[in-house]
Amino acid sequence: MTTAVAPSPTDHEHDAHHEHPAWLAHHFDDAEQQFDAGKLGMWIFLVTEVLFFSGMFCAYALYRNRNPEVFEFCSTFLNEKLGAINTGVLLFSSLTMAWAVRASQLKQTKTLIGMLGATLGCAAIFLGVKAVEYSHKWGLGLFPGKYYVSQVEGAPHSTVPYLWYLCIPALILLVAFVLYYVYAFVSASKFHLRVAGPLVVAASCFFGGVKLGQVLEAEESHGDSHASAGADAHGHEHSDHAGHDHAKEVSAPSVNLLGEAEVVTHDVAVSPAETNTPESNVNQKGMAGLFFSIYYCMTGVHAFHILGGMAVITWLIVKSARFEFHSKYYGPVDNVGLYWHLVDFIWIYLFPLLYLIT
Amino acid sequence: MSVVTNPVTMPATHPEAGKEDNYLTHSSGFLSWALTLDHKRIGMMYLVGVMSAFALGGVLALMIRLHLWTPNLEANQAWLLNKTYNQVFTLHGAVMVFLFIIPSIPAALGNFLLPIMLGTKDVAFPRLNLGSFYLWIAGAIFFLFSLFATGLDTGWTFYTPYSIESQGPVIAATLGVFILGFSSIFTGLNFIVTINTMRPPGMTWFRMPLFLWAVYSTSIIQVLATPVLGITMLLLAAEKLLGIGIFDSRLNGDPIAFQHFFWFYSHPAVYIMILPAMGIISELMSVHSHKGIFGYRMIAYSSVAIALFGFLVWGHHMFTSGMADVTTIVFSALTFTVSIPSAIKVFNWIGTMYQGTVSLNTPMVYALAFIFLFTIGGLTGLFLGALSTDMHLHATYFVIAHFHYVMMGGTLIAFLGGLFHWWPKMTGKMFNDFGGILSASIIFVGFNLTFLPQFVLGTRGMPRRYASYKPEFQLLHQLSTIGALMLGVGLLVALLVLLHSLFYGSKAPKNPWGGATLEWECSSPPPHDNFSSAPTVGDPYDFSKIEFDPKTGSYFKKK
């Protein structure tokens, strides 16, 4: 191996150094290198994300393999309509995100901000629906692990307004964004108006999602004797509407010592003989509780990734409102897009694995 | 923080150094360090940070050894209470592993050297790099909290089910590990991207110095293994907080699953610790033998091979935990395969010295110590990888001695060797070579005195982590304690030599050792942008054109 391939330092190179545009970091030679570095960095980060989730997927595989009946029993508590709606919302947000990338390349700033705002809105709807799902389960006592409450007919529903608690941060943000919008309007700052608009819409979308979730949840529990038990439309698992094959419904004996408590009927395809043996009693902390641990861990960590995605999309909206993106510099939009697709992708695995077991 | 930056800012106030513009004098003030995006300054801050962590872990180690001076059969007459002893060895392990060894070479030396050796101005994501450093600080704060909150007694592995029941601040410690994990991931990500996309013209893959190959392989492990540790720690914290039951057998969870998750990271992490050390030794062997490295490509490939094999052997930590027989056999066989690339490296280092002109200066003495100690550490690993002997040696002092030979005799010695080797480049000061060799000698003797008796203790059945022992083991334990004190003295000498050089050292020339890699082509210390003009990239181990100039006391490259 011999020396020299590197170009000798010429005046031209020094000039190039000083001509660095603001969007090109000083240590990169050109736009292409900067873009490649950013993109490779994002792909590696996505690999770490996949591995991060892989631990929970392993736990899922392990415990489902051990106790398949638990997963079948518990998935009936998950409302697949809400899951399906959320899948659709996330898929749509992937479209708007991809569109945003295209808009940033073409320097269509208005479309770019619109699409980023739409993505943000979809994310908020997703979280709104998720808030209904979570609060509904908490109301029933479907907590993770040792806090799991065995499901018994006639057991009192919790009156804790979990949904309200979940809505408070969103409400604070909505108020803050509206105030920001008013400030932008008063100060007639076009930049602030461009930023505040999508934020207000997105924060409102959260409540749209909550409403959507409540409507679907109520629909599911229509005709159910417990539907009126709570404001948040409890009890979809008691669903009794047409089309259910009663022959498939089995009794899960209660371990709860609430008297002779008649067991809840669930729409599960497990042979009664199997569920009646004490060892395989699924309706208890170490069984259903473990399922809900996995459920909350997976969907919870996923929801945190949605929140992280929303934060960076907000950052992109600010940058877009400053007209920073153009055909040579759109890396951040592209990379956030990649991240967003991954978050979407993980949900596409979570939905069938958790909701569509039976 | 101000304490952290003081030693390294000293040269800036030194009258001699004020004249030229280098990365130390480029700007001044606390914020110019705290908010710096310069990889060299970040590397220096890491250096001070990891050395402080090492000092803390070292004091804890000495406490362990002093406690074991007597058999402590009467627990209430012992120097430390049994409870305190458990906390001390837990924190010794956790601090050394997570705060010191894992970030030591990649984050401190790697950050400083990688862009310079590669011929670039900085790493690909300088802000992320600074972020990694602050994540390290945040993780360290969590660790210090669990130190002062006292009661963390799970061992550094946080094994379930005990960690679920332990009253100690397990949550704080696991969150600390979680945060430190992200620091490590981002450093690795940064290095991979830098090496892949920012090599200057002429810097082909096979012109990269072997240190960079080693750091690159390390980064692959950091990126692929650490996220699994992250989720494991998160699940453990959730286990403590919410009782999710995934690792809790009372809730039908599986404590062994925790061990699998944990070692899926922590075994590759062993290679995060040793691979960059091997990279340093490759540089030191070649430069101080003034001879091209023997088998460049084999060393480069073996680094990548170790990184990949490292993912397939985690089960050997769990031979006694309960696994299917076939699984243990497969894990045992795979464990043996890792020894092949390691042996290739040792062979090639010795091949490098053969017929070379060996300068026996401080870095080289450390490198020779490394080869000796690492070989012992590696070979005793084979005893533990073999199923039948592992059944006997598992959880004894033999294991302790083995991994200290690799981690401390390997990584720490290489880290010190590398630190002495690049010290003139990093600070612009030459150290006292005699003092350096003295420190290396004391450390070498002290190290062997500490850990050779532990091999014997282990084979005789002394279990690890015990606060008391049978009186017949006392002599060996006392030898070990004397060795540990010697080791402490040796390390103190090394520190004094380095500190002395900062104040009284002569100015370092550009290339004091005669290296052919790019970092020796920029001034000592390097300027803010590393190279005023793009460096000429050549064979990193071509010493035929390197000549000594007695006037400047520096080597230079003949045109």
Side-chain angles (χ1 to χ4, degrees):
Chain A
M1 281 196 274
T2 47
T3 44
V5 181
S8 56
T10 58
D11 290 341
H12 170 73
E13 242 192 26
H14 275 283
D15 289 345
H17 179 72
H18 295 298
E19 277 167 18
H20 257 108
W23 46 266
L24 183 60
H26 82 283
H27 56 290
F28 290 116
D29 293 335
D30 50 38
E32 199 192 342
Q33 192 184 39
Q34 173 163 294
F35 180 78
D36 288 346
K39 192 142 198 170
L40 181 65
M42 181 45 78
W43 274 108
I44 295 173
F45 179 68
L46 296 188
V47 169
T48 68
E49 287 287 17
V50 169
L51 282 156
F52 189 75
F53 275 94
S54 72
M56 289 180 294
F57 279 104
C58 273
Y60 177 94
L62 184 66
Y63 294 113
R64 182 162 176 188
N65 184 45
R66 263 182 211 178
N67 301 101
E69 74 281 5
V70 173
F71 283 66
E72 286 169 12
F73 168 78
C74 292
S75 79
T76 56
F77 289 98
L78 305 183
N79 186 336
E80 64 264 26
K81 268 192 195 164
L82 292 179
I85 282 285
N86 261 351
T87 310
V89 167
L90 273 195
L91 279 175
F92 183 73
S93 78
S94 263
L95 171 70
T96 55
M97 193 67 224
W99 198 334
V101 175
R102 181 78 184 139
S104 70
Q105 290 167 338
L106 299 176
K107 208 173 185 342
Q108 299 165 336
T109 304
K110 215 170 177 182
T111 319
L112 172 59
I113 296 179
M115 286 302 142
L116 289 174
T119 314
L120 204 57
C122 286
I125 294 176
F126 178 92
L127 289 180
V129 174
K130 209 85 210 125
V132 172
E133 285 191 75
Y134 277 179
S135 56
H136 174 70
K137 288 184 184 59
W138 296 341
L140 289 174
L142 297 171
F143 290 110
K146 70 176 176 193
Y147 296 108
Y148 176 80
V149 180
S150 296
Q151 299 299 299
V152 185
E153 178 104 44
H157 289 298
S158 163
T159 50
V160 183
Y162 292 113
L163 187 59
W164 267 106
Y165 295 158
L166 289 175
C167 286
I168 287 171
L171 201 60
I172 293 171
L173 279 178
L174 179 62
V175 171
F177 292 153
V178 168
L179 287 177
Y180 178 42
Y181 190 83
V182 171
Y183 162 77
F185 195 76
V186 170
S187 64
S189 155
K190 285 195 172 160
F191 164 72
H192 288 306
L193 277 174
R194 281 193 295 268
V195 176
L199 291 182
V200 172
V201 174
S204 325
C205 277
F206 177 82
F207 297 97
V210 169
K211 191 68 214 162
L212 179 69
Q214 280 177 324
V215 168
L216 287 172
E217 192 74 75
E219 200 178 282
E220 184 84 347
S221 53
H222 176 71
D224 178 80
S225 58
H226 281 240
S228 58
D232 301 332
H234 299 293
H236 78 273
E237 80 282 4
H238 302 254
S239 60
D240 195 19
H241 38 78
H244 275 200
D245 184 1
H246 277 262
K248 281 170 71 185
E249 297 190 350
V250 289
S251 301
S254 162
V255 287
N256 202 321
L257 299 176
L258 284 176
E260 295 304 291
E262 192 187 313
V263 288
V264 195
T265 53
H266 292 287
D267 179 14
V268 269
V270 186
S271 78
E274 199 178 322
T275 36
N276 279 334
T277 56
E279 290 80 21
S280 59
N281 182 0
V282 293
N283 189 9
Q284 54 165 302
K285 294 182 200 303
M287 290 293 193
L290 201 55
F291 171 87
F292 281 101
S293 298
I294 292 171
Y295 166 80
Y296 286 117
C297 284
M298 292 181 112
T299 56
V301 172
H302 178 262
F304 270 106
H305 280 79
I306 297 265
L307 285 172
M310 291 172 86
V312 281
I313 290 171
T314 308
W315 170 68
L316 286 183
I317 290 176
V318 174
K319 273 174 91 81
S320 312
R322 287 197 195 119
F323 300 104
E324 285 188 18
F325 298 119
H326 49 80
S327 61
K328 280 187 174 170
Y329 179 66
Y330 61 94
V333 189
D334 206 23
N335 291 331
V336 171
L338 282 175
Y339 170 81
W340 193 253
H341 297 320
L342 179 89
V343 174
D344 187 7
F345 190 67
I346 288 171
W347 178 258
I348 288 174
Y349 278 93
L350 291 183
F351 174 54
L353 283 178
L354 295 168
Y355 289 75
L356 301 181
I357 294 174
T358 49
Chain B
M1 274 303 298
S2 58
V3 183
V4 165
T5 51
N6 266 342
V8 280
T9 46
M10 288 317 289
T13 56
H14 205 269
E16 278 177 332
K19 283 177 258 172
E20 55 177 292
D21 182 52
N22 60 46
Y23 82 100
L24 293 167
T25 57
H26 186 71
S27 54
S28 60
F30 174 73
L31 283 183
S32 79
W33 281 85
L35 300 177
T36 183
L37 299 180
D38 183 356
H39 67 97
K40 297 180 287 298
R41 287 189 170 194
I42 294 172
M44 288 307 255
M45 294 197 293
Y46 260 122
L47 181 66
V48 177
V50 296
M51 291 312 264
S52 315
F54 178 65
L56 176 64
V59 169
L60 292 165
L62 284 180
M63 284 172 73
I64 295 175
R65 286 311 330 161
L66 289 174
H67 174 80
L68 293 173
W69 182 259
T70 51
N72 305 315
L73 290 173
E74 301 285 325
N76 50 354
Q77 286 167 15
W79 181 50
L80 297 174
L81 293 173
N82 284 351
K83 252 170 114 179
T84 319
Y85 179 82
N86 289 347
Q87 295 168 18
V88 169
F89 79 68
T90 297
L91 281 161
H92 164 69
V95 167
M96 283 298 198
V97 168
F98 294 113
L99 283 178
F100 173 64
I101 305 186
I102 287 177
S104 64
I105 299 176
L109 294 179
N111 244 321
F112 192 97
L113 292 167
L114 182 134
I116 308 184
M117 285 179 131
L118 203 61
T120 63
K121 287 179 190 143
D122 209 322
V123 292
F125 308 115
R127 265 176 295 187
L128 187 66
N129 200 16
L130 184 67
S132 299
F133 175 71
Y134 282 111
L135 281 175
W136 185 89
I137 295 278
I141 289 171
F142 272 86
F143 259 73
L144 288 182
F145 170 78
S146 35
L147 174 70
F148 290 114
T150 68
L152 185 70
D153 57 355
T154 57
W156 74 276
T157 54
F158 306 111
Y159 264 18
T160 53
Y162 181 66
S163 56
I164 299 172
E165 288 156 26
S166 166
Q167 299 300 311
V170 175
I171 295 174
T174 50
L175 290 180
V177 173
F178 181 80
I179 294 168
L180 290 170
F182 275 90
S183 165
S184 177
I185 289 174
F186 291 139
T187 302
L189 187 153
N190 228 331
F191 288 175
I192 293 180
V193 173
T194 308
I195 289 178
N196 267 337
T197 62
M198 294 184 66
R199 279 171 290 127
M203 180 59 85
T204 59
W205 283 94
F206 291 105
R207 275 190 184 169
M208 287 200 318
L210 287 165
F211 179 66
L212 295 189
W213 272 97
V215 169
Y216 189 79
S217 312
T218 310
S219 303
I220 292 175
I221 310 176
Q222 284 177 307
V223 162
L224 293 183
T226 319
V228 179
L229 178 76
I231 190 65
T232 311
M233 289 297 135
L234 208 59
L235 288 176
L236 181 59
E239 188 79 67
K240 297 275 290 182
L241 274 174
L242 305 169
I244 58 171
I246 288 180
F247 300 131
D248 189 346
S249 49
R250 287 169 300 189
L251 292 170
N252 281 332
D254 191 345
I256 303 290
F258 176 85
Q259 296 187 18
H260 278 288
F261 281 26
F262 181 82
W263 288 114
F264 182 85
Y265 163 77
S266 292
H267 193 77
V270 169
Y271 300 108
I272 295 179
M273 304 172 200
I274 195 67
L275 266 173
M278 292 168 158
I280 287 181
I281 299 303
S282 301
E283 299 297 321
L284 264 51
M285 279 294 153
S286 173
V287 171
H288 297 285
S289 302
H290 303 281
K291 176 167 169 279
I293 192 86
F294 179 80
Y296 172 92
R297 286 200 183 218
M298 287 312 281
I299 297 183
Y301 288 138
S302 65
S303 292
V304 180
I306 289 175
L308 299 181
F309 283 146
F311 278 97
L312 307 175
V313 302
W314 79 88
H316 68 218
H317 294 270
M318 301 167 56
F319 285 154
T320 59
S321 300
M323 269 198 293
D325 286 348
V326 179
T327 322
T328 55
I329 292 168
V330 170
F331 273 126
S332 176
L334 286 169
T335 302
F336 282 106
T337 60
V338 186
S339 61
I340 297 170
S342 313
I344 288 175
K345 281 176 188 282
V346 175
F347 179 79
N348 285 2
W349 293 325
I350 294 170
T352 304
M353 280 192 290
Y354 180 63
Q355 291 196 336
T357 316
V358 178
S359 312
L360 266 185
N361 46 28
T362 309
M364 189 61 176
V365 172
Y366 274 105
L368 292 173
F370 171 93
I371 292 186
F372 187 83
L373 300 175
F374 174 74
T375 305
I376 294 181
L379 291 177
T380 49
L382 296 177
F383 293 59
L384 297 168
L387 284 172
S388 49
T389 41
D390 184 66
M391 291 299 148
H392 178 65
L393 297 171
H394 182 83
T396 65
Y397 265 58
F398 192 89
V399 180
I400 304 280
H402 156 68
F403 72 72
H404 278 90
Y405 262 89
V406 181
M407 300 290 91
M408 191 171 183
T411 308
L412 176 78
I413 298 283
F415 176 66
L416 289 175
L419 191 60
F420 277 103
H421 182 71
W422 283 293
W423 188 259
K425 183 57 66 188
M426 296 166 95
T427 63
K429 298 288 174 187
M430 291 306 285
F431 53 83
N432 181 325
D433 200 43
F434 173 77
I437 292 174
L438 183 70
S439 74
S441 317
I442 301 174
I443 289 173
F444 182 77
V445 176
F447 181 87
N448 283 305
L449 191 56
T450 312
F451 292 107
L452 270 179
Q454 296 192 5
F455 279 125
V456 183
L457 279 171
T459 49
R460 291 187 187 171
M462 171 74 209
R464 66 191 289 194
R465 293 179 173 157
Y466 276 36
S468 57
Y469 52 84
K470 286 184 175 176
E472 69 216 52
F473 291 144
Q474 189 169 17
L475 176 67
L476 288 166
H477 268 297
Q478 288 185 341
L479 282 177
S480 186
T481 303
I482 294 169
L485 291 170
M486 248 182 105
L487 198 48
V489 171
L491 289 165
L492 212 57
V493 172
L495 178 71
L496 289 177
V497 170
L498 291 177
L499 287 181
H500 177 267
S501 79
L502 281 181
F503 299 100
Y504 307 105
S506 56
K507 190 172 168 2
K510 203 169 169 182
N511 189 352
W513 313 121
T517 41
L518 289 180
E519 79 271 26
W520 304 112
E521 304 214 352
C522 59
S523 52
S524 304
H528 179 67
D529 271 341
N530 297 348
F531 300 100
S532 45
S533 55
T536 311
V537 180
D539 182 344
Y541 300 105
D542 178 12
F543 293 92
S544 58
K545 290 185 185 136
I546 304 282
E547 292 217 346
F548 187 68
D549 178 5
K551 271 185 231 161
T552 56
S554 174
Y555 288 84
F556 67 100
K557 201 178 258 180
K558 264 197 308 188
K559 295 290 174 202

